[in-house]
Amino acid sequence: MSFTWIPFYKELAQKLFRFSKNRTPLVNWIYDNLDGSIGHLKDAPDGRKVPDIDPFTVYAIFNRGITTERRIEICSKFKDYLDISASLPKDFDGIPVMNTKQSNFIAFADKRKDGDIDRLWEVFEVAVLGKDIENAYNALEKQYLIKYNLTFALFWIRPDLYLPLDSRSQSLLFSLGITFDNKKFLRYQDYKNVMNRLKEKMRKESLGFTNYVEFSYAAFLKTNQTAEIERKETAEIKKNYWVYAPGEKAVFWDMYYQEGIMGLGWNKIGDLKELGNIDRIESQLNWSYKSDKSQDKNADMLYSFAYEMKPGDIIFVKRGRTHIIGRGIVTSDYYYDGEREFQPHLRKVQWTDKGEWETDDKLAIKTLTNITGFKIVDKLNALIDDESKVEDSLDSPVNIDYWWLYANPKYWEVDTFSIGEVQEYTAYNDKGNKRQIFKYFKAVKPGDKLVCYETYPTRRVKALCEITQGLHEDDGYEIFNFVIREKVTYEVPWNELILNDVFKKSEPFKAATGSLYHLTKEEYDVIVELAHGEKRDTYSKKDFLNEVFVSDDDYDKLENLLLRKKNLILQGAPGVGKTYAAKRLAWAILGEKDERKIMQVQFHQNYNYEDFVMGYKPNEVGGFKLAEGKFYKFCKYAEKDKDHKYFVIIDEINRGNLSKIFGELLMLIENDYRNTPIQLAYKDEMFAVPSNLYIIGMMNTADRSLAMIDYALRRRFSFFEMKPGFNSYAFEEEIKKKKDPHLDNFVKAIVELNKVIENDDSLGSGFCIGHSYLCNLGDNYDLGNIVEYDIIPMLREYWFDNDNLFNQETQKLRAAIK
C-alpha cells in the first residue's frame, strides 16, 4: 500500500501550530465552511457551537465513520485554507477512525474543566516536534473523554512515532502475545512498553508489517477477514433464527402478514444482489444517503438479509424490545421490487402465528438480528408454541376487518385491565335487547382489529385490541372475546378525530347510537398513527416568562385581557418581540405547543376580504369559483371543537384596510356577538365567529407610514404596550451567561439610548430599541454588526433632520463595544 494520507496528515499538523494561542479564527472557519460535516461538533446537546477547539478534534472531523469522498472533500477545504503543499490523500488505509456518536476529544461545556483544551494542545505540540511527551500525555489521564482515542490522535499526526490502540489493533497485539490492561487509561510508560515490544517483534519476526502504519492496516484486514469467515460459518448452519421489526412500531405488520412477505427499507441503493458484497453495500449506503453516521451496521444487516437468510429460516416478528407479535418460515430467496414506494428488499414468508407475547428478555434494537444459537430462541418458541407446530402449520392468513367499540367507562374501563388479558362484550344490553348494530356483532371474527373508545366523560381512544373469538354463547349470553394488545401512547380525543378529513364519512362519527361500528383500513391506520404519536410538549406560564422578557404581572394582564375581550393587540417598538410573544401566549393558555390550534397571517395593503373570508378566484379552466378564505376555514375548524381554545395571530394588523378585510365580520369578532350568525356577503349561509376563537394582533407604533388604526376596530380590541425587556430578570440572566463585558456595556448603552428616544417629543416610548436584537445571540455574535447594520440605520430614520443628536448617540453605541 502507498498510504498517500501520511504526507498530508503530517503537514496539516505543522500548519495547525499557528492556532495554538488563538483558536477563534479556526473555529469560525470550521463553522463557516464545513456545514454538513460538523453536526457532532457542539458544546451542549442543544447544538450550540463550541467556543474553542483542540487539534485532535479538528482531525476527527474527517477521521470518523463517513465516506471516503466526504473525507477527501473536507481535506481539500483544509488544504486551501491552510495552504498545504502536500497532495490530497487518495486513500485512508490503516487509519483508525472515531465513533460517529463520539468524535470529539473535548466534553460538553457542563463537563469540561478549565485547561482541558490547552492540555490537548500541549501534547499535540510536543508530539509534532518529536519531543518527550510523557508529562503532557499523562496529564490527560483523568480528563473526560480521553482514553485510547489519544493514541489514535497521536498516530494521525506522527504515524512514524506512535501506535494506535483501537480495538482492531488491540486484537492483533493480543494475538501476538503483547497484552496489557485495556480497561483503563494506559499511562505513557506502559504505552511505550507496548510499542517497544511490537518493534522488537517486527525486527525479529516476519510478520508481514514493519512499521506502525503497516501494522494498523494489517489489523484492519484481519478484522474484516475474521468477520467474513464468521458469516460463512453462520450461513452453513441448517436453520437460522431471526428477530425482525416490520417498520417502526411494526407499522407494516398487518400488511406483510396478509401479503405473506417481509421487507427492508433503504430504497435508494437498488438491488442488493447487484452490489455483491458487504463493502459495496456500505459504500452505496454512504453515497446514497450522504450521512456522517457510519453505515456499517446497516450494511451488515442488508447483507445478512440478501445473502445469509435462506428458505426454511424462522422469523420472530417484534414490536419494540419486549413484544413478539408473530412467527413464520422464510419460503423464498431475496428479491428486489423497485416499484414499491417503501421497503423494496423482500422475501416471501409463510406467517404461521399472529398474536402478542411479552418476553422478559430485551430484544435487539436493530431491524433484523440473527439470534441463532442463543438461548432466547428456545424462550421465544416456548412463548408461542412448540417449534414443530411452526414447521407443520400451513394456515393461510385470513381477511381482517376493523371495528370501533364504544365503551361506557362506568361499566368498562381500559385502565383496570392488563395487556394480553381477554375481555368479553355482550351482544345484548342489560334489558335483553340487541345492541346496535347487531349485524356487526355477528360479523366479528378472530384476527379482526378493534379500537376501544371510552365514551363520556373520557371521550378518548384508550386501547388497540384484537378479536380472539367471534359471537358465541357463554352462560346464556351471546358474547365475543377480544384481547387488549396495546394501551396507546397517546389517548386520541374525540375532537381531534372529527377534525380529520378521513373521518368525514366514518360510521362511528355520523351515527347517533350504537356500540360497534365498522372502520375502513385507512381509518384504522390513521387512529393507530395518532395513538402511537408522542404527546405535544407542554407549555406553561413559567415557560412563557423564561422566553418572553416581561414581568409576572404583565403576563397576568395579557392573559386576562385576551380571555375577557377575546381580541388583543400587542403594540410597541420594533424588536420588543411582539410576534414571538403572541404565539407563546397562545401556547401558555393552551398549556401545550399545539400548532393546529393557531393560525398566523400577515396583513398588508393589498390584503382583502376575498383572501381572509371568502371570494371568487380564477380556476384552472378559465372561469371563477367561490373560494373560502383562511379566517372562514379556521372559524369552521374551531367551531367543531368547542372544548378548546383557538387563536388567530395577525402580524402588522394596522397595515391592512381593516374594514375591507373583515367586512361584515367586524361586528362578529366583538365578544358580545360571538356565536351570533349573520348572512355572508358571497354565500347563502349564516355564519358566526365561534366563542372559543381568540384574535391577537401585532402593531409597530414606530411605523410613521401608517394611519391611526380604525376606531371601530379599536373599540373591539384591548391594547397592551410591550416595552423593551432589558430590565427583566430573565433577560438579565441570559446576558450574565455570556460573561462578556462588552455585551454588558452595550446593554447599558441601549437602555440610556432608549431614555433619549422616550424623552424626544417627536418620538416617544413607541420608538425605543427592543431587546430582540440581543436575543439568541449564539456563541459567535458580532456586536459591531448589530450596531452598524441593525440599530444605526433605524436611528438615522428617527433623526433624519437632527445630525448632531444622531452622531452623538451613534458614537456612544460604538464606544460601548470597544
Side-chain angles (χ1 to χ4, degrees), residues 75-111:
C75 288
S76 177
K77 292 183 178 181
F78 274 107
K79 178 179 172 68
D80 293 340
Y81 176 53
L82 299 176
D83 193 25
I84 296 173
S85 59
S87 299
L88 285 172
K90 295 180 181 178
D91 69 89
F92 297 91
D93 294 327
I95 300 178
V97 296
M98 300 286 284
N99 188 314
T100 53
K101 295 180 180 179
Q102 181 48 265
S103 300
N104 301 331
F105 286 74
I106 50 176
F108 286 155
D110 61 340
K111 292 186 178 180

Side-chain angles (χ1 to χ4, degrees), residues 9 21 151 236 263 288 311 375 635 645 675 682 690 696 757:
Y9 275 48
K21 304 304 178 188
T151 67
E236 290 171 359
S288 300
K375 292 181 179 179
C635 285
K645 296 177 175 62
N675 296 331
Y682 282 97
I696 307 174
I757 293 172

Side-chain angles (χ1 to χ4, degrees), residues 290-431:
K290 308 295 183 186
S291 173
D292 280 347
K293 297 180 179 179
S294 173
Q295 295 286 349
D296 58 338
K297 292 181 180 178
N298 291 334
D300 183 80
M301 178 167 52
L302 289 165
Y303 180 90
S304 297
F305 184 69
Y307 292 92
E308 295 177 353
M309 184 180 287
K310 58 188 181 297
D313 284 358
I314 304 299
I315 308 297
F316 294 101
V317 185
K318 66 171 182 172
R319 186 183 66 240
R321 299 192 64 191
T322 57
H323 287 79
I324 294 295
I325 56 176
R327 182 173 58 177
I329 307 168
V330 178
T331 60
S332 80
D333 291 328
Y334 163 84
Y335 64 99
Y336 176 74
D337 184 355
E339 299 298 318
R340 294 178 72 90
E341 294 182 9
F342 50 84
Q343 301 211 327
H345 308 290
L346 303 168
R347 281 180 180 267
K348 293 181 180 179
V349 182
Q350 174 63 59
W351 296 117
T352 57
D353 294 271
K354 192 170 188 288
E356 183 155 348
W357 300 269
E358 187 172 3
T359 173
D360 294 332
D361 297 278
K362 285 288 186 181
L363 302 171
I365 297 174
K366 286 198 308 180
T367 302
L368 181 70
T369 306
N370 190 333
I371 58 171
T372 308
F374 290 91
K375 292 181 179 179
I376 193 172
V377 172
D378 294 332
K379 292 182 179 180
L380 295 181
N381 276 323
L383 273 178
I384 302 172
D385 207 341
D386 292 332
E387 186 177 341
S388 58
K389 183 178 178 180
V390 178
E391 297 176 349
D392 293 340
S393 175
L394 296 175
D395 292 338
S396 299
V398 296
N399 293 323
I400 295 175
D401 285 312
Y402 303 87
W403 306 98
W404 172 283
L405 176 67
Y406 279 112
N408 189 329
K410 292 181 181 178
Y411 308 106
W412 193 90
E413 288 185 79
V414 173
D415 294 339
T416 62
F417 301 117
S418 302
I419 293 175
E421 184 178 350
V422 176
Q423 305 296 324
E424 59 184 35
Y425 204 91
T426 64
Y428 294 79
N429 62 22
D430 293 340
K431 297 180 180 179

Side-chain angles (χ1 to χ4, degrees), residues 528-588:
V528 171
E529 182 179 353
L530 292 171
H532 285 166
E534 295 181 0
K535 294 184 179 180
R536 287 169 287 276
D537 292 337
T538 59
Y539 198 86
S540 64
K541 173 182 175 180
K542 182 179 179 181
D543 296 317
F544 180 92
L545 293 174
N546 285 336
E547 295 185 338
V548 182
F549 301 136
V550 300
S551 67
D552 190 287
D553 289 341
D554 281 343
Y555 172 83
D556 291 339
K557 290 176 184 176
L558 282 167
E559 183 179 41
N560 290 335
L561 287 172
L562 181 59
L563 296 181
R564 176 182 61 84
K565 194 91 169 184
K566 296 191 184 295
N567 307 312
L568 173 68
I569 286 179
L570 305 179
Q571 62 181 359
V576 293
K578 298 182 292 294
T579 305
Y580 185 82
K583 176 176 277 193
R584 280 152 183 79
L585 177 61
W587 285 347

Side-chain angles (χ1 to χ4, degrees), residues 424-545:
E424 59 184 35
Y425 204 91
T426 64
Y428 294 79
N429 62 22
D430 293 340
K431 297 180 180 179
N433 298 323
K434 293 180 180 179
R435 294 191 189 276
Q436 301 285 342
I437 298 170
F438 190 75
K439 66 178 182 179
Y440 288 156
F441 282 82
K442 296 173 68 176
V444 297
K445 60 188 179 301
D448 285 358
K449 302 296 183 181
L450 182 71
V451 173
C452 287
Y453 172 88
E454 284 189 12
T455 59
Y456 183 85
T458 310
R459 302 185 70 191
R460 290 177 180 271
V461 172
K462 298 284 286 188
L464 302 177
C465 308
E466 184 175 320
I467 305 295
T468 55
Q469 187 173 359
L471 203 64
H472 64 286
E473 188 169 325
D474 188 357
D475 293 334
Y477 292 94
E478 284 193 77
I479 64 172
F480 67 83
N481 296 98
F482 63 96
V483 64
I484 297 175
R485 294 300 186 200
E486 178 184 349
K487 293 183 180 179
V488 299
T489 304
Y490 173 53
E491 296 180 354
V492 191
W494 171 267
N495 51 52
E496 185 169 337
L497 292 170
I498 62 172
L499 296 177
N500 193 307
D501 290 340
V502 171
F503 299 101
K504 279 186 175 180
K505 298 180 179 180
S506 181
E507 283 190 8
F509 298 91
K510 66 181 182 180
T513 60
S515 302
L516 188 68
Y517 289 94
H518 190 263
L519 292 171
T520 66
K521 185 176 187 305
E522 182 186 20
E523 292 166 350
Y524 177 82
D525 287 345
V526 169
I527 293 171
V528 171
E529 182 179 353
L530 292 171
H532 285 166
E534 295 181 0
K535 294 184 179 180
R536 287 169 287 276
D537 292 337
T538 59
Y539 198 86
S540 64
K541 173 182 175 180
K542 182 179 179 181
D543 296 317
F544 180 92
L545 293 174

